[in-house]
């Protein structure tokens, strides 16, 4: 074996295509515009393109089976036959229609989503949830107590052979059995999915034998839960699983792949497993290198995830070479691989598509394609020595140095303000009880005040106007006039139906983070840098590259315009610092908490300006606060401390009379209730309608003192709830909270609904409030 390079691995390449080919093919297929053969062909072309690209870039462990039409967890569920009865599976080959019914639900009666009406008629999709702490969402597999697992498809084998036919030898990727079960949901919830491990393993054993027979030498088995807090039982499950797999296909080498955090207390369990290789995430947990390196068994391949698969910054090649060289020397090149920290799924495909980015910023970035180049440089540099890759190293060093000293990154004014933050800036002038009284005098509200969470339907007209304006076919003036008209109509209608606290409707916003990011310094936006959020939904997260500040007011104009139309109070409407942070690509040169504090100061400026303009109520949405919780419990408090501090910083610049609202989407509140109380918003609205108000238990048990608006209208469904349904929910709320604490509002996201649904539902909601007050 010649040692021209260390083995290099990407662990997974984005599936969506440089030009979002997969999205367009999926949508065309779902709407019946193209046949399944065409969708399948598009997918095949994409796979070939991605394999070739990786080969050209010098990657030696090219992944296969990382492609998915929708989601790799769903693929795994289907592969092992975890297909709930409602989908009407006949036990044969799983047709695309059934696969998509699991992904998206189906309406039955010839719905285009589901070509063959006999499959999964009128069934809901599987639940969807966040993939660890990323912004990717996976479909939650469901398993039954009497679950029978069976290998239903040979997709991993088929894709291996597909690549082989192109002359590319791949390393298939599969989601490991323990992580699969850990992510699955037991239905009914009378048992633990992991109890089914021994029933699941034969399916993996068969798969491994077939991969072996097809000629695979390695398989990448992803077990990211090894970066979580595990029980002894869960650790034992790994032993059981990997011993069985080693026995089933002794010729197939397993690269046990961990990511999103350190192995830490799972290290001993991981290195004891009979696997040929172990991959660790050194972007998230660089500190684990020495401990892991000394714990792995002699002869075991160590895969070093040094290139961040979650972020878009170019790496300092020289620094990585320095760090890894002694290890490679010690272990020998055969026993080390360099890799992305995790699959590149979480970052955009190609920086070269960005033609409008500031050239300096562009020179600091690296997307999936560029990261392949970084990996192969590292692989070569570690074997052939630095001179062989001198040019690449120097250019990376220059970029890193330029970024570190750039005035585009560091803003002395921001630094000065940060240094000047004192305790007084992080607390309201008086405690809630005192504020409540002055607010009640300034803002006359009835008992059980009614309001909404901010947005109103983004109709076809609104979207059309926005894109016409973006394309330049609708002038700024006409676009503004259109938005004013929509806003005015929304204000008028809210007055008419008798809501107590109005909102302007957010018609001018494309997205609750992008809208603010576009007006803040330190943020950049891309043209094509899409990443998969779920299925065919892709997002273009903002890139925070420098110190953040707010050059000009962002929302004051819209608030003023709306308030000028009504005597009722209109809430100012902002996105909070933690949410803006969590939904962006962030800097890696300062801690997340430092960036969050800067955003908090920028939002604080806006809050103060809204108050100056006359706003009596200002809502600061923190939809993603809970989402940002670290994977390990021990890290929670630190995160919650700075997240809460940021919220307090952004919301405490106002006088006691000004009522601060916040909002959170569906969350488990029990374990963060103290933090929520510490945020000290005067009013919090939360989504609760689907939980039968059980989510309020946490507030009751904590004796949460401030005011709360539990959602009483499930806006995630087109159904219009009637008055009784909402009064019923409210009486459940009243059992848990005092009347004086309660607000009445829907769940969030009215922008995704139609006016025909929203109108009657909110009319009913106002009526429910009247009944509660005894007004009818
Ligand atoms: N104000 C936003 C809205 O009503 C909040 C969205 C959210 O919580 N995700 O759309
Ligand atoms: Zn929400």
């Amino acid at each position: 074996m010649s040692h021209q390079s260390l083995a290099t691995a990407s662990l997974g390449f984005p599936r969506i295509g440089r030009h979002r080919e997969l999205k367009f093919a999926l949508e065309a297929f779902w709407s019946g515009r193209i046949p399944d053969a065409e969708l399948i062909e598009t997918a095949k072309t994409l796979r070939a393109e991605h394999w070739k690209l990786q080969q050209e870039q010098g990657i030696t462990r090219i992944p296969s089976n990382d492609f998915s039409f929708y989601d790799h967890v769903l693929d795994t569920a289907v592969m092992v036959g975890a297909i709930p009865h409602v989908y009407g599976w006949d036990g044969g080959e799983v047709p695309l229609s059934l696969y998509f019914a699991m992904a998206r639900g189906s309406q039955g009666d010839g719905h285009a989503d589901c070509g063959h009406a006999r499959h999964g008629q009128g069934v809901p999709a599987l639940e969807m949830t966040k993939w660890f702490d990323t912004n990717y969402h996976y479909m939650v597999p469901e398993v039954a107590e009497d679950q029978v697992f069976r290998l239903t498809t040979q997709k991993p084998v088929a894709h291996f052979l597909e690549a082989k036919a192109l002359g590319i030898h791949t390393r298939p990727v599969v989601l490991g059995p323990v992580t699969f079960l850990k992510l699955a949901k037991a239905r009914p919830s009378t048992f633990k999915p992991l109890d089914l491990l021994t029933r699941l393993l034969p399916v993996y054993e068969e798969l491994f034998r077939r991969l072996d027979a097809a000629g695979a030498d390695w398989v990448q088995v992803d077990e990211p839960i090894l970066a979580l807090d595990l029980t002894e039982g869960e650790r034992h499950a790994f032993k059981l699983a990997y011993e069985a797999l080693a026995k089933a296909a002794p010729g197939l080498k397993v690269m046990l792949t961990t990511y999103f955090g350190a192995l830490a207390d799972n290290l001993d369990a991981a290195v004891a497993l009979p696997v040929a290789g172990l991959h660790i995430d050194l972007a998230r947990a660089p500190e684990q290198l020495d401990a892991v390196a000394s714990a792995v068994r002699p002869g075991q391949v160590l895969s070093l995830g040094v290139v961040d698969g979650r972020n878009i910054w170019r790496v300092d090649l020289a620094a990585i070479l320095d760090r890894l060289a002694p290890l490679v020397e010690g272990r020998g090149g055969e026993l080390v691989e360099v890799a992305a920290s995790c699959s590149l799924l979480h970052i955009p495909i190609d920086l070269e598509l960005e033609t409008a980015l500031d050239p300096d910023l562009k020179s600091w970035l690296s997307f999936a394609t560029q990261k392949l180049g970084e990996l192969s440089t590292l692989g070569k540099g570690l074997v052939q020595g630095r001179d062989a890759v001198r040019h690449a190293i120097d250019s990376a060093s220059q970029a890193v140095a330029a970024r570190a000293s750039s005035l585009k990154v560091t803003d002395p004014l921001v630094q000065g303000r940060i240094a000047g933050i004192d305790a007084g800036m992080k607390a309201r002038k008086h405690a809630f009880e005192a504020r409540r009284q002055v607010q009640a005098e300034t803002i006359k509200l009835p008992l059980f005040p009614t309001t909404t969470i901010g947005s109103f339907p983004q109709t076809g007209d609104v979207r059309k106007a926005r894109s016409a304006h973006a394309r330049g076919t609708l002038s700024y003036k006409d676009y503004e006039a259109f938005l004013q008209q929509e806003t005015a109509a929304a204000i008028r209608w809210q007055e008419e139906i008798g809501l107590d606290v109005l909102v302007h409707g957010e018609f001018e916003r494309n997205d609750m983070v992008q809208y603010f990011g576009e007006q803040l310094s330190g943020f950049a936006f891309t043209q094509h840098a899409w990443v998969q959020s779920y299925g065919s939904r892709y997002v273009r997260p903002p890139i925070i590259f420098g110190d953040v500040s707010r050059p000009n007011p962002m929302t004051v104009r819209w608030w003023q315009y709306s308030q000028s139309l009504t005597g009722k109070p209109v809430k100012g409407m902002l996105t909070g610092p933690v949410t803006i942070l969590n939904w962006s690509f962030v800097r890696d040169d300062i801690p997340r908490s430092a960036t969050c504090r800067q955003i908090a100061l920028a939002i604080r400026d806006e809050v103060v300006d809204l108050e100056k303009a006359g706003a009596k109520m200002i809502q600061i949405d923190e939809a993603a606060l809970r989402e940002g919780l670290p994977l390990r419990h021990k890290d929670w408090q630190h995160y919650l401390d700075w997240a809460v501090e940021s919220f307090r910083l952004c919301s405490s610049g106002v006088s006691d009379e000004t009522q601060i609202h916040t909002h959170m989407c569906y969350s488990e509140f029990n374990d963060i209730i103290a933090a929520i109380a510490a945020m000290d918003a005067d009013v919090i609205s939360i989504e609760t309608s689907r939980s039968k108000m059980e989510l309020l238990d946490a507030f009751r048990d904590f004796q949460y003192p401030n005011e709360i608006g539990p959602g009483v209208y499930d806006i995630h469904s087109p159904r219009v709830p009637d008055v009784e349904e909402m009064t019923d929910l409210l009486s459940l709320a009243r059992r848990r909270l005092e009347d004086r604490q309660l607000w009445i509002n829907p769940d969030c996201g009215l922008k995704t609904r139609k006016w025909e649904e929203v109108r009657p539902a909110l009319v009913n909601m106002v009526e429910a409030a009247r009944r509660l007050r005894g007004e009818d």
Side-chain angles (χ1 to χ4, degrees), residues 452-456 506 509 512 573-574 583 619 621 623 663-665 687 748-751:
T452 61
I453 310 303
S455 63
F456 276 124
E506 304 182 22
R509 301 187 187 175
M512 64 186 286
M573 191 58 61
L574 305 172
W583 288 349
Q619 178 174 316
D621 291 330
H663 163 75
M664 283 184 204
C665 306
E687 292 194 282
C748 70
L750 289 181
K751 71 173 177 192

Side-chain angles (χ1 to χ4, degrees), residues 295-355:
V296 288
R297 291 199 310 272
Q300 218 169 18
V301 175
L302 187 53
S303 166
L304 306 168
V306 284
V307 171
D308 195 346
R310 298 270 303 265
N311 214 336
I312 39 65
W313 301 105
R314 198 166 165 183
V315 291
D316 185 348
L317 294 168
I320 296 182
L321 289 174
D322 281 346
R323 205 155 119 242
L324 300 192
L327 189 85
V328 174
E329 199 138 301
R331 293 182 67 78
E334 305 78 23
L335 294 183
V336 182
E337 294 186 10
V338 279
S341 62
C342 61
S343 164
L344 301 175
L345 173 69
H346 307 288
I347 53 173
I349 296 187
D350 192 358
L351 183 63
E352 287 317 314
L353 294 173
E354 302 303 324
T355 50

Side-chain angles (χ1 to χ4, degrees), residues 387-446:
D387 283 337
V389 288
R390 176 60 57 202
H391 178 70
I393 295 179
D394 289 348
S395 125
S397 302
Q398 275 159 22
V400 167
R403 181 179 161 209
S405 62
S406 172
L407 286 177
K408 292 178 182 172
V409 172
T410 309
D411 179 345
L413 285 176
V414 175
Q415 301 287 328
R417 287 191 68 191
I418 293 285
I421 294 174
D422 58 27
M425 288 172 74
K426 295 186 274 193
R428 300 288 297 271
K429 316 239 163 357
H430 292 96
F432 172 71
E433 192 45 41
R435 300 199 304 268
R436 188 169 78 85
Q437 286 168 26
V438 286
Q439 286 167 18
E441 282 157 31
T442 354
I443 322 163
K444 295 271 176 263
L445 289 174

Side-chain angles (χ1 to χ4, degrees), residues 3 154 219 287-288 348 352 399 446 455 523 557 570 576 594 637 661 663 682 733 752 765 773:
H3 298 305
Q154 312 225 3
V219 58
E287 73 287 349
Q288 67 174 333
E352 287 317 314
S455 63
F523 279 71
R557 217 161 42 85
V570 178
Q637 200 52 51
H661 290 231
H663 163 75
D682 298 303
T752 59
M765 188 186 87
R773 298 176 196 138

Side-chain angles (χ1 to χ4, degrees), residues 100-112:
F100 286 127
M102 290 173 78
R104 317 172 62 228
S106 83
Q107 311 266 308
D109 60 61
H111 191 259

Side-chain angles (χ1 to χ4, degrees), residues 128-343:
M128 184 167 76
T129 195
K130 273 166 69 83
W131 174 245
F132 297 84
D133 58 355
T134 73
N135 290 322
Y136 175 83
H137 301 75
Y138 70 94
M139 307 307 302
V140 181
E142 275 179 25
V143 290
E145 197 154 16
D146 60 354
Q147 185 69 50
V148 177
F149 293 109
R150 193 146 71 63
L151 192 63
T152 70
T153 139
Q154 312 225 3
K155 172 178 168 256
V157 180
H159 287 189
F160 174 78
L161 293 173
E162 192 178 298
K164 194 170 163 192
L166 298 169
I168 298 174
H169 183 80
T170 57
R171 184 171 74 181
V173 186
V174 296
L175 181 60
V178 188
T179 293
F180 173 76
L181 287 175
K182 170 97 174 168
L183 299 181
K185 186 172 164 175
R187 240 186 222 238
S189 55
T190 47
F191 67 105
K192 284 213 163 58
L194 209 51
D195 299 343
L196 304 177
L197 182 63
T198 49
R199 260 187 264 166
L200 175 63
L201 285 176
V203 178
Y204 273 82
E205 289 166 25
E206 186 184 344
L207 174 68
F208 278 33
R209 279 193 294 266
R210 288 177 189 258
L211 284 170
D212 191 19
D217 49 355
W218 280 94
V219 58
Q220 172 188 323
V221 189
D222 286 3
E223 292 281 13
I225 66 162
L226 281 166
L228 304 183
D229 296 321
L230 297 180
T231 63
E232 261 325 301
E234 287 163 341
R235 288 191 195 127
H236 183 72
F238 276 98
K239 181 168 148 58
L240 203 77
Y242 287 85
E243 281 173 1
L245 292 173
K247 220 181 278 161
L252 185 64
K253 289 181 272 190
V254 169
M255 175 56 74
L256 182 72
T257 305
T258 69
Y259 41 81
F260 300 152
L263 279 164
D265 54 351
N266 298 323
L267 175 60
D268 291 346
V271 295
L273 301 174
V275 290
L278 176 66
H279 170 85
I280 54 170
D281 183 338
L282 292 174
R284 266 300 175 84
E287 73 287 349
Q288 67 174 333
L289 178 57
D290 292 343
V292 178
S294 51
V296 288
R297 291 199 310 272
Q300 218 169 18
V301 175
L302 187 53
S303 166
L304 306 168
V306 284
V307 171
D308 195 346
R310 298 270 303 265
N311 214 336
I312 39 65
W313 301 105
R314 198 166 165 183
V315 291
D316 185 348
L317 294 168
I320 296 182
L321 289 174
D322 281 346
R323 205 155 119 242
L324 300 192
L327 189 85
V328 174
E329 199 138 301
R331 293 182 67 78
E334 305 78 23
L335 294 183
V336 182
E337 294 186 10
V338 279
S341 62
C342 61
S343 164

